[in-house]
Amino acid sequence: AQSVTQLGSHVSVSEGALVLLRCNYSSSVPPYLFWYVQYPNQGLQLLLKYTSAATLVKGINGFEAEFKKSETSFHLTKPSAHMSDAAEYFCAVSATNQGAQKLVFGQGTRLTINP
Amino acid sequence: DSGVTQTPKHLITATGQRVTLRCSPRSGDLSVYWYQQSLDQGLQFLIQYYNGEERAKGNILERFSAQQFPDLHSELNLSSLELGDSALYFCASSTTSLNEQFFGPGTRLTVL
């Protein structure tokens, strides 16, 4: 069974600093991995996805993530934080079986940006 | 705007009641998914439909049921509601079962 662990339920960084949100996955098959962002009172928006092509994946809003099979990790980074990045971030792994798909989400990391 | 619409946005009801949540997927998307987001359980997959047929089931209670209609919209029915059913319910859609999912804005259900 697939699972995801997000390390750190809250992360706080200063504006302009590096953002690093950690995600480790467990999967018995090559995984599809996703990062979603949820702004207050909104739905989830896809930031980026890994589907076994390039290990370094670039997403929207300057975010990127690197798939490391040896470490079973898919950490999300952004070189310079902006106030508008404050939100909750979810890592997810796709469990696909014969056309059936579900996303298994981590518990989420709330990112706070300090001015 | 993801293109996925959900109604109503908010729903307040009493224990023991039944409610129906509605979802319209993005144009052309055949798969619809339902998720529940609560403080204690996080984001949990409930059920997936593909072109009208149930494809996958998650931790969905027997009091909950869903269906996808010929026009591809979907409804999630929640009955005999309990306080613990209070949560955000998200619908998502994708073109096929292998593509990324696009989420709607959610329906916030409050059971009093």
Side-chain angles (χ1 to χ4, degrees), chain B residues 26-53:
Chain B
R26 294 186 319 157
S27 177
D29 283 358
L30 299 177
S31 260
V32 170
Y33 312 78
W34 286 97
Y35 292 85
Q36 179 194 60
Q37 184 179 33
S38 61
L39 283 175
D40 53 346
Q41 297 291 325
L43 267 163
Q44 299 278 321
F45 168 76
L46 295 178
I47 198 164
Q48 177 201 0
Y49 277 82
Y50 178 80
N51 204 20
E53 294 187 2

mmCIF file of all heavy atoms in Angstrom, chain B residues 26-53:
data_model
loop_
_atom_site.group_PDB
_atom_site.id
_atom_site.type_symbol
_atom_site.label_atom_id
_atom_site.label_comp_id
_atom_site.label_asym_id
_atom_site.label_seq_id
_atom_site.Cartn_x
_atom_site.Cartn_y
_atom_site.Cartn_z
ATOM 1 N N ARG B 26 -14.680 18.970 -14.822
ATOM 2 C CA ARG B 26 -14.218 19.773 -15.946
ATOM 3 C C ARG B 26 -14.762 19.187 -17.237
ATOM 4 O O ARG B 26 -14.955 17.977 -17.348
ATOM 5 C CB ARG B 26 -12.692 19.777 -16.011
ATOM 6 C CG ARG B 26 -11.986 20.440 -14.884
ATOM 7 C CD ARG B 26 -10.479 20.500 -15.159
ATOM 8 N NE ARG B 26 -9.970 19.271 -15.745
ATOM 9 C CZ ARG B 26 -8.865 19.188 -16.472
ATOM 10 N NH1 ARG B 26 -8.163 20.281 -16.725
ATOM 11 N NH2 ARG B 26 -8.445 18.043 -16.945
ATOM 12 N N SER B 27 -14.965 20.058 -18.211
ATOM 13 C CA SER B 27 -15.460 19.604 -19.493
ATOM 14 C C SER B 27 -14.511 18.556 -20.079
ATOM 15 O O SER B 27 -13.297 18.781 -20.175
ATOM 16 C CB SER B 27 -15.564 20.806 -20.444
ATOM 17 O OG SER B 27 -15.981 20.399 -21.714
ATOM 18 N N GLY B 28 -15.047 17.409 -20.433
ATOM 19 C CA GLY B 28 -14.243 16.361 -21.042
ATOM 20 C C GLY B 28 -13.666 15.351 -20.068
ATOM 21 O O GLY B 28 -13.166 14.303 -20.487
ATOM 22 N N ASP B 29 -13.722 15.646 -18.768
ATOM 23 C CA ASP B 29 -13.189 14.705 -17.788
ATOM 24 C C ASP B 29 -14.195 13.584 -17.523
ATOM 25 O O ASP B 29 -15.361 13.841 -17.271
ATOM 26 C CB ASP B 29 -12.861 15.407 -16.479
ATOM 27 C CG ASP B 29 -11.568 16.199 -16.563
ATOM 28 O OD1 ASP B 29 -10.925 16.166 -17.640
ATOM 29 O OD2 ASP B 29 -11.206 16.841 -15.561
ATOM 30 N N LEU B 30 -13.699 12.352 -17.547
ATOM 31 C CA LEU B 30 -14.570 11.207 -17.349
ATOM 32 C C LEU B 30 -14.534 10.671 -15.918
ATOM 33 O O LEU B 30 -15.450 9.980 -15.482
ATOM 34 C CB LEU B 30 -14.167 10.084 -18.313
ATOM 35 C CG LEU B 30 -14.267 10.406 -19.802
ATOM 36 C CD1 LEU B 30 -13.776 9.224 -20.637
ATOM 37 C CD2 LEU B 30 -15.697 10.761 -20.197
ATOM 38 N N SER B 31 -13.448 10.953 -15.227
ATOM 39 C CA SER B 31 -13.297 10.438 -13.867
ATOM 40 C C SER B 31 -13.668 11.499 -12.841
ATOM 41 O O SER B 31 -13.266 12.658 -12.958
ATOM 42 C CB SER B 31 -11.844 10.019 -13.612
ATOM 43 O OG SER B 31 -11.681 8.648 -13.725
ATOM 44 N N VAL B 32 -14.396 11.068 -11.834
ATOM 45 C CA VAL B 32 -14.752 11.932 -10.703
ATOM 46 C C VAL B 32 -14.349 11.227 -9.417
ATOM 47 O O VAL B 32 -14.522 10.017 -9.282
ATOM 48 C CB VAL B 32 -16.268 12.229 -10.693
ATOM 49 C CG1 VAL B 32 -16.661 12.918 -9.398
ATOM 50 C CG2 VAL B 32 -16.650 13.100 -11.879
ATOM 51 N N TYR B 33 -13.794 12.003 -8.511
ATOM 52 C CA TYR B 33 -13.326 11.476 -7.237
ATOM 53 C C TYR B 33 -13.960 12.293 -6.117
ATOM 54 O O TYR B 33 -14.137 13.507 -6.247
ATOM 55 C CB TYR B 33 -11.802 11.593 -7.109
ATOM 56 C CG TYR B 33 -11.033 11.103 -8.309
ATOM 57 C CD1 TYR B 33 -10.921 11.893 -9.455
ATOM 58 C CD2 TYR B 33 -10.408 9.862 -8.298
ATOM 59 C CE1 TYR B 33 -10.207 11.450 -10.561
ATOM 60 C CE2 TYR B 33 -9.688 9.423 -9.401
ATOM 61 C CZ TYR B 33 -9.602 10.222 -10.527
ATOM 62 O OH TYR B 33 -8.900 9.778 -11.613
ATOM 63 N N TRP B 34 -14.191 11.665 -4.980
ATOM 64 C CA TRP B 34 -14.654 12.378 -3.791
ATOM 65 C C TRP B 34 -13.651 12.156 -2.653
ATOM 66 O O TRP B 34 -13.177 11.032 -2.433
ATOM 67 C CB TRP B 34 -16.026 11.874 -3.361
ATOM 68 C CG TRP B 34 -17.145 12.340 -4.246
ATOM 69 C CD1 TRP B 34 -17.718 11.659 -5.280
ATOM 70 C CD2 TRP B 34 -17.832 13.592 -4.169
ATOM 71 N NE1 TRP B 34 -18.715 12.411 -5.851
ATOM 72 C CE2 TRP B 34 -18.817 13.602 -5.188
ATOM 73 C CE3 TRP B 34 -17.725 14.714 -3.337
ATOM 74 C CZ2 TRP B 34 -19.677 14.674 -5.394
ATOM 75 C CZ3 TRP B 34 -18.575 15.787 -3.547
ATOM 76 C CH2 TRP B 34 -19.541 15.768 -4.567
ATOM 77 N N TYR B 35 -13.353 13.257 -1.957
ATOM 78 C CA TYR B 35 -12.450 13.224 -0.814
ATOM 79 C C TYR B 35 -13.107 13.948 0.360
ATOM 80 O O TYR B 35 -13.900 14.873 0.186
ATOM 81 C CB TYR B 35 -11.126 13.937 -1.130
ATOM 82 C CG TYR B 35 -10.269 13.245 -2.151
ATOM 83 C CD1 TYR B 35 -10.463 13.455 -3.513
ATOM 84 C CD2 TYR B 35 -9.249 12.382 -1.756
ATOM 85 C CE1 TYR B 35 -9.672 12.813 -4.459
ATOM 86 C CE2 TYR B 35 -8.442 11.743 -2.694
ATOM 87 C CZ TYR B 35 -8.671 11.965 -4.041
ATOM 88 O OH TYR B 35 -7.887 11.325 -4.973
ATOM 89 N N GLN B 36 -12.731 13.512 1.553
ATOM 90 C CA GLN B 36 -13.185 14.170 2.775
ATOM 91 C C GLN B 36 -11.965 14.753 3.476
ATOM 92 O O GLN B 36 -10.941 14.075 3.611
ATOM 93 C CB GLN B 36 -13.871 13.155 3.685
ATOM 94 C CG GLN B 36 -14.378 13.722 5.002
ATOM 95 C CD GLN B 36 -14.735 12.620 5.983
ATOM 96 O OE1 GLN B 36 -13.891 11.811 6.355
ATOM 97 N NE2 GLN B 36 -15.985 12.593 6.421
ATOM 98 N N GLN B 37 -12.071 16.007 3.898
ATOM 99 C CA GLN B 37 -10.976 16.629 4.647
ATOM 100 C C GLN B 37 -11.486 17.042 6.024
ATOM 101 O O GLN B 37 -12.388 17.870 6.157
ATOM 102 C CB GLN B 37 -10.430 17.856 3.918
ATOM 103 C CG GLN B 37 -9.216 18.464 4.621
ATOM 104 C CD GLN B 37 -8.648 19.668 3.888
ATOM 105 O OE1 GLN B 37 -9.373 20.437 3.267
ATOM 106 N NE2 GLN B 37 -7.334 19.831 3.939
ATOM 107 N N SER B 38 -10.909 16.452 7.049
ATOM 108 C CA SER B 38 -11.272 16.803 8.415
ATOM 109 C C SER B 38 -10.002 17.014 9.224
ATOM 110 O O SER B 38 -8.919 16.572 8.825
ATOM 111 C CB SER B 38 -12.125 15.701 9.051
ATOM 112 O OG SER B 38 -11.396 14.484 9.112
ATOM 113 N N LEU B 39 -10.151 17.679 10.357
ATOM 114 C CA LEU B 39 -8.976 18.007 11.166
ATOM 115 C C LEU B 39 -8.294 16.758 11.699
ATOM 116 O O LEU B 39 -7.071 16.677 11.734
ATOM 117 C CB LEU B 39 -9.382 18.926 12.322
ATOM 118 C CG LEU B 39 -9.622 20.387 11.936
ATOM 119 C CD1 LEU B 39 -10.143 21.169 13.122
ATOM 120 C CD2 LEU B 39 -8.336 21.011 11.395
ATOM 121 N N ASP B 40 -9.090 15.762 12.093
ATOM 122 C CA ASP B 40 -8.476 14.581 12.700
ATOM 123 C C ASP B 40 -8.035 13.541 11.677
ATOM 124 O O ASP B 40 -7.055 12.839 11.912
ATOM 125 C CB ASP B 40 -9.427 13.959 13.723
ATOM 126 C CG ASP B 40 -10.802 13.690 13.142
ATOM 127 O OD1 ASP B 40 -11.099 14.223 12.049
ATOM 128 O OD2 ASP B 40 -11.580 12.963 13.772
ATOM 129 N N GLN B 41 -8.703 13.444 10.551
ATOM 130 C CA GLN B 41 -8.371 12.415 9.566
ATOM 131 C C GLN B 41 -7.570 12.932 8.377
ATOM 132 O O GLN B 41 -7.053 12.143 7.591
ATOM 133 C CB GLN B 41 -9.654 11.760 9.040
ATOM 134 C CG GLN B 41 -10.460 11.016 10.091
ATOM 135 C CD GLN B 41 -9.741 9.777 10.547
ATOM 136 O OE1 GLN B 41 -9.058 9.098 9.787
ATOM 137 N NE2 GLN B 41 -9.867 9.453 11.831
ATOM 138 N N GLY B 42 -7.473 14.238 8.231
ATOM 139 C CA GLY B 42 -6.789 14.788 7.068
ATOM 140 C C GLY B 42 -7.610 14.576 5.805
ATOM 141 O O GLY B 42 -8.831 14.507 5.847
ATOM 142 N N LEU B 43 -6.920 14.459 4.674
ATOM 143 C CA LEU B 43 -7.582 14.263 3.387
ATOM 144 C C LEU B 43 -7.700 12.773 3.107
ATOM 145 O O LEU B 43 -6.690 12.081 2.962
ATOM 146 C CB LEU B 43 -6.761 14.917 2.276
ATOM 147 C CG LEU B 43 -7.125 16.338 1.903
ATOM 148 C CD1 LEU B 43 -5.990 16.971 1.118
ATOM 149 C CD2 LEU B 43 -8.410 16.374 1.093
ATOM 150 N N GLN B 44 -8.929 12.289 2.994
ATOM 151 C CA GLN B 44 -9.168 10.867 2.790
ATOM 152 C C GLN B 44 -9.955 10.654 1.502
ATOM 153 O O GLN B 44 -10.969 11.310 1.266
ATOM 154 C CB GLN B 44 -9.970 10.304 3.964
ATOM 155 C CG GLN B 44 -9.288 10.416 5.313
ATOM 156 C CD GLN B 44 -8.293 9.315 5.556
ATOM 157 O OE1 GLN B 44 -8.517 8.167 5.191
ATOM 158 N NE2 GLN B 44 -7.161 9.657 6.152
ATOM 159 N N PHE B 45 -9.491 9.712 0.720
ATOM 160 C CA PHE B 45 -10.186 9.326 -0.502
ATOM 161 C C PHE B 45 -11.446 8.553 -0.145
ATOM 162 O O PHE B 45 -11.423 7.650 0.695
ATOM 163 C CB PHE B 45 -9.260 8.468 -1.359
ATOM 164 C CG PHE B 45 -9.937 7.776 -2.508
ATOM 165 C CD1 PHE B 45 -10.293 8.479 -3.645
ATOM 166 C CD2 PHE B 45 -10.189 6.420 -2.462
ATOM 167 C CE1 PHE B 45 -10.900 7.840 -4.713
ATOM 168 C CE2 PHE B 45 -10.790 5.766 -3.511
ATOM 169 C CZ PHE B 45 -11.163 6.476 -4.646
ATOM 170 N N LEU B 46 -12.546 8.907 -0.790
ATOM 171 C CA LEU B 46 -13.797 8.197 -0.532
ATOM 172 C C LEU B 46 -14.151 7.242 -1.661
ATOM 173 O O LEU B 46 -14.342 6.040 -1.428
ATOM 174 C CB LEU B 46 -14.941 9.207 -0.344
ATOM 175 C CG LEU B 46 -14.842 10.123 0.877
ATOM 176 C CD1 LEU B 46 -16.014 11.084 0.909
ATOM 177 C CD2 LEU B 46 -14.776 9.318 2.166
ATOM 178 N N ILE B 47 -14.238 7.768 -2.884
ATOM 179 C CA ILE B 47 -14.717 6.931 -3.979
ATOM 180 C C ILE B 47 -14.371 7.567 -5.322
ATOM 181 O O ILE B 47 -14.203 8.780 -5.418
ATOM 182 C CB ILE B 47 -16.246 6.707 -3.844
ATOM 183 C CG1 ILE B 47 -16.724 5.517 -4.669
ATOM 184 C CG2 ILE B 47 -17.018 7.979 -4.166
ATOM 185 C CD1 ILE B 47 -18.103 5.019 -4.269
ATOM 186 N N GLN B 48 -14.234 6.731 -6.346
ATOM 187 C CA GLN B 48 -13.971 7.180 -7.705
ATOM 188 C C GLN B 48 -15.001 6.585 -8.654
ATOM 189 O O GLN B 48 -15.342 5.401 -8.563
ATOM 190 C CB GLN B 48 -12.584 6.753 -8.186
ATOM 191 C CG GLN B 48 -12.298 7.137 -9.635
ATOM 192 C CD GLN B 48 -11.196 6.324 -10.294
ATOM 193 O OE1 GLN B 48 -10.615 5.442 -9.688
ATOM 194 N NE2 GLN B 48 -10.886 6.646 -11.545
ATOM 195 N N TYR B 49 -15.464 7.403 -9.582
ATOM 196 C CA TYR B 49 -16.302 6.944 -10.686
ATOM 197 C C TYR B 49 -15.617 7.289 -11.999
ATOM 198 O O TYR B 49 -14.943 8.319 -12.119
ATOM 199 C CB TYR B 49 -17.688 7.604 -10.647
ATOM 200 C CG TYR B 49 -18.627 6.903 -9.707
ATOM 201 C CD1 TYR B 49 -18.599 7.169 -8.348
ATOM 202 C CD2 TYR B 49 -19.520 5.949 -10.172
ATOM 203 C CE1 TYR B 49 -19.428 6.506 -7.477
ATOM 204 C CE2 TYR B 49 -20.371 5.278 -9.302
ATOM 205 C CZ TYR B 49 -20.317 5.569 -7.951
ATOM 206 O OH TYR B 49 -21.135 4.910 -7.079
ATOM 207 N N TYR B 50 -15.784 6.397 -12.958
ATOM 208 C CA TYR B 50 -15.246 6.631 -14.297
ATOM 209 C C TYR B 50 -16.362 6.358 -15.293
ATOM 210 O O TYR B 50 -16.841 5.225 -15.397
ATOM 211 C CB TYR B 50 -14.032 5.747 -14.582
ATOM 212 C CG TYR B 50 -13.474 5.915 -15.964
ATOM 213 C CD1 TYR B 50 -12.634 6.988 -16.255
ATOM 214 C CD2 TYR B 50 -13.793 5.023 -16.988
ATOM 215 C CE1 TYR B 50 -12.121 7.159 -17.526
ATOM 216 C CE2 TYR B 50 -13.293 5.194 -18.257
ATOM 217 C CZ TYR B 50 -12.457 6.258 -18.525
ATOM 218 O OH TYR B 50 -11.946 6.445 -19.784
ATOM 219 N N ASN B 51 -16.778 7.390 -15.991
ATOM 220 C CA ASN B 51 -17.806 7.279 -17.029
ATOM 221 C C ASN B 51 -19.036 6.526 -16.530
ATOM 222 O O ASN B 51 -19.563 5.653 -17.231
ATOM 223 C CB ASN B 51 -17.220 6.590 -18.265
ATOM 224 C CG ASN B 51 -17.976 6.944 -19.529
ATOM 225 O OD1 ASN B 51 -18.680 7.949 -19.587
ATOM 226 N ND2 ASN B 51 -17.849 6.098 -20.530
ATOM 227 N N GLY B 52 -19.436 6.846 -15.327
ATOM 228 C CA GLY B 52 -20.662 6.281 -14.784
ATOM 229 C C GLY B 52 -20.492 5.031 -13.949
ATOM 230 O O GLY B 52 -21.450 4.599 -13.287
ATOM 231 N N GLU B 53 -19.307 4.465 -13.955
ATOM 232 C CA GLU B 53 -19.103 3.217 -13.208
ATOM 233 C C GLU B 53 -18.169 3.446 -12.025
ATOM 234 O O GLU B 53 -17.176 4.164 -12.131
ATOM 235 C CB GLU B 53 -18.498 2.147 -14.115
ATOM 236 C CG GLU B 53 -19.440 1.706 -15.224
ATOM 237 C CD GLU B 53 -18.882 0.515 -15.997
ATOM 238 O OE1 GLU B 53 -17.793 0.042 -15.635
ATOM 239 O OE2 GLU B 53 -19.544 0.083 -16.938
#
